[in-house]
Structures are given as structure tokens and as C-alpha cells.
Amino acid sequence: MTAPEPVLAPVAARYAWWLGLPAERTSVRDVPPEQVWAMPVVLRLEKSAPPARTPLLEAAASAAVAVCLHDNSLPGGPWYDAVHTWTSGHIRKVARRARGVHWEAVQSLPGVTVEVEGAQVRALVPCRVADLPREVSRLQISGSDLPADQPQAAAADLPLLLLNPGVTMSAGKAAAQVGHATMLLAALLDPADLAVWASRNLRCAVRVASPAQWVRVTATLADPHGAWEEQGLVAVRDAGFTEVEPGTVTVVARWKPTA
């Protein structure tokens, strides 16, 4: 009997075509709308004290991958079947905003909450969109935008997620995109590097790339295998369901932690 695969294996199979995996592992079949799976990502946006945009995105990026790497998502764990079903299709995420008692209500649902500089995000175990718990379905998707902020220089020992400077995204959309980016990184890292990252609580830095920086990194990605092997770069290309055109590169992630 074949052992169950890690939940991020299907993500690696679709992105890293150079791994030489069978063709059927690199494609995703279309599914009826009622069968679509998504990860709910809940952003805490208190009306009286909203968080800064950058820490919120950093919390979202760490929370999404933390669900995938949680002990409960290992083969045989209580989250495994749900997370693996989701990663075997389109890794869709739906960001919703919550405050007050609605934020407290989602804490009882299976998932992981991450806080960065006071900004809090809870990524939940994926499910069919049609089966969303009431605590989540009643939350608003719109109204999740936050003004741009001016973060300090990114720490050199953290993965860096660069947002496309030419694309306007709401905070909710950007939160989903950086969550995709950390999942790609985790799917491609070797166990030793993944352990290093886990020891740092899967923290990462999110920054908007300068136009010149974006040109450089996207040019490198013309050879995705070489970009990963030589510079630790991976790209998130959006499916185009909301806000951006299909195929748009929304985030470039760079794995460059140092000792």
C-alpha cells in the first residue's frame, strides 16, 4: 500500500515541472462550482484600531503555510484529508474581515492564528465553499483594504515576498497571494531549510518591489528552474478569479535566509 503523500506535494508537482513528475500530476481538473474548495483567511480589522497593511500581510503569509505544516495536517492527522484535497486542486483562498465577537467566533474553528506587530490573521482548514461554517460565511469579503505603509528594511534572515508594484490589490487579495507564495516556498524547500524556517515560526517579510527590482526578478523567472536553484526565487501567477487578469505575476518569493 502506497504511503500518503505530504499535503504540499501536489503544489510542488504543479509548480516544479522540472522534478520530472508524471504529466497527470502537473495539471488540475476543472470542477463544478459547488465542489470548489478554498482556504478561508480571516483578517482582524477592528474599526477603532485597524492594523498596518504590511504586518497584516506578513501574518497572513505565515498563517496559510502554518496550516499546511501543522502536525494535524500530517498523513493520518485530523486535517490531512481536507488540506490534501484542497492542495490537489486550485489553491484558492478567500480572505474575509472580522472584528469583535465575529473575530472571537472564528477562533474555535480549526486553523492557525498568527500575530505580527499587533496584526492578527487566522487561516482556517480548507473546505468546500458550499460548506463554509456560519461563523465564516457571515463575514464580509469586501472592505478589506488598508492604506499603504512604510515598513522598515526587511530582515536578511527571513524569506522575502515581493509584491508586483504595477498591480493594485486590496489587502484581502494580497493576503491570499502572499499565502500562495509561502506555500510554494514550503513545497520546494528541502527538509533542512524547512526546519530552519519553522524554527523562526515561518515568519517572512512582505514588501512592494520597486519597478526596477520587479523587472530584474521577473526576468530571472524566465527560467523557473534556474531561478529556484540559483537564487531561490518562485513566482505566484494568479488564476484571475478576482481583481487581476489571469496569469498575472502577483508575488515573487525569495528564499534567502542566513545563519
Side-chain angles (χ1 to χ4, degrees), residues 17-237:
W17 50 266
W18 62 81
L19 294 174
L21 295 161
E24 62 268 17
R25 295 301 315 281
T26 63
S27 62
V28 176
R29 295 178 299 170
D30 290 330
V31 297
E34 66 274 10
Q35 297 297 325
V36 169
W37 282 64
M39 170 185 276
V41 179
V42 183
L43 316 177
R44 186 175 190 181
L45 296 177
E46 297 291 343
K47 189 172 183 179
S48 60
R53 182 183 176 100
T54 295
L56 188 76
L57 296 183
E58 292 176 348
S62 295
V65 72
V67 169
C68 299
L69 298 178
H70 197 282
D71 286 349
N72 286 344
S73 295
L74 294 174
W79 299 353
Y80 175 81
D81 288 343
V83 179
H84 186 261
T85 297
W86 172 61
T87 58
S88 297
H90 293 289
I91 54 171
R92 296 178 183 174
K93 298 181 181 71
V94 178
R96 297 172 182 262
R97 58 183 174 88
R99 61 173 64 105
V101 296
H102 295 306
W103 169 255
E104 296 302 326
V106 300
Q107 301 308 302
S108 63
L109 300 175
V112 177
T113 296
V114 172
E115 180 173 343
V116 176
E117 297 178 17
Q120 292 179 295
V121 174
R122 186 166 182 82
L124 302 175
V125 173
C127 66
R128 290 194 314 160
V129 173
D131 296 332
L132 279 173
R134 170 64 178 160
E135 294 92 339
V136 178
S137 63
R138 68 186 177 186
L139 301 177
Q140 294 293 316
I141 297 176
S142 61
S144 65
D145 207 7
L146 292 167
D149 55 357
Q150 298 294 325
Q152 297 179 348
D157 62 344
L158 297 177
L160 177 63
L161 313 182
L162 294 170
L163 295 169
N164 186 335
V167 173
T168 300
M169 294 184 285
S170 67
K173 177 68 173 181
Q177 299 303 296
V178 294
H180 295 344
T182 51
M183 286 177 60
L184 284 173
L185 284 178
L188 296 178
L189 288 174
D190 63 40
D193 283 338
L194 194 56
V196 169
W197 192 18
S199 74
R200 294 171 177 152
N201 298 316
L202 302 171
R203 286 291 307 275
C204 57
V206 175
R207 299 293 185 270
V208 178
S210 69
Q213 186 180 28
W214 189 254
V215 169
R216 289 196 302 272
V217 295
T218 52
T220 301
L221 287 161
D223 173 16
H225 182 197
W228 174 252
E229 292 296 328
E230 297 169 17
Q231 299 189 38
L233 293 175
V234 294
V236 175
R237 289 178 173 81

